[in-house]
Amino acid sequence: FHDLVTVGASYRSGDAFLWLFQLQLNEKFKFGYAYDMTSSGLNQFSNGTHELMLNFQIDISRGISGKFIPCPDFF
């Protein structure tokens, strides 16, 4: 289960709450959704923001050795 779904939450001090969800579709693709809910005075003008993410992981070959180096994850 932990290799398939990622969930998280964050708080930006005095400004916003953030919720995120990521689903691994297969070995190469991940799909994610995040919602940023404003908690500061800006909430009079903004109801928050939505973000959709699509992550495609590629393999990078090293020289003529034929060995593959996986693309690093930053999550």
Side-chain angles (χ1 to χ4, degrees), residues 30-66:
K30 294 178 185 176
F31 173 78
Y33 170 76
Y35 178 66
D36 185 327
M37 182 174 58
T38 307
S39 62
S40 68
L42 289 175
N43 64 4
Q44 297 174 15
F45 308 101
S46 171
N47 293 327
T49 60
H50 300 270
E51 181 178 343
L52 297 175
M53 300 160 278
L54 184 61
N55 180 330
F56 176 67
Q57 186 170 341
I58 59 172
D59 292 325
I60 303 169
S61 63
R62 183 190 315 174
I64 58 172
S65 66

Side-chain angles (χ1 to χ4, degrees), residues 18-42:
L18 298 95
W19 315 101
L20 61 97
F21 170 81
Q22 180 174 279
L23 178 64
Q24 181 151 354
L25 303 174
N26 59 34
E27 291 182 12
K28 300 278 185 201
F29 283 100
K30 294 178 185 176
F31 173 78
Y33 170 76
Y35 178 66
D36 185 327
M37 182 174 58
T38 307
S39 62
S40 68
L42 289 175

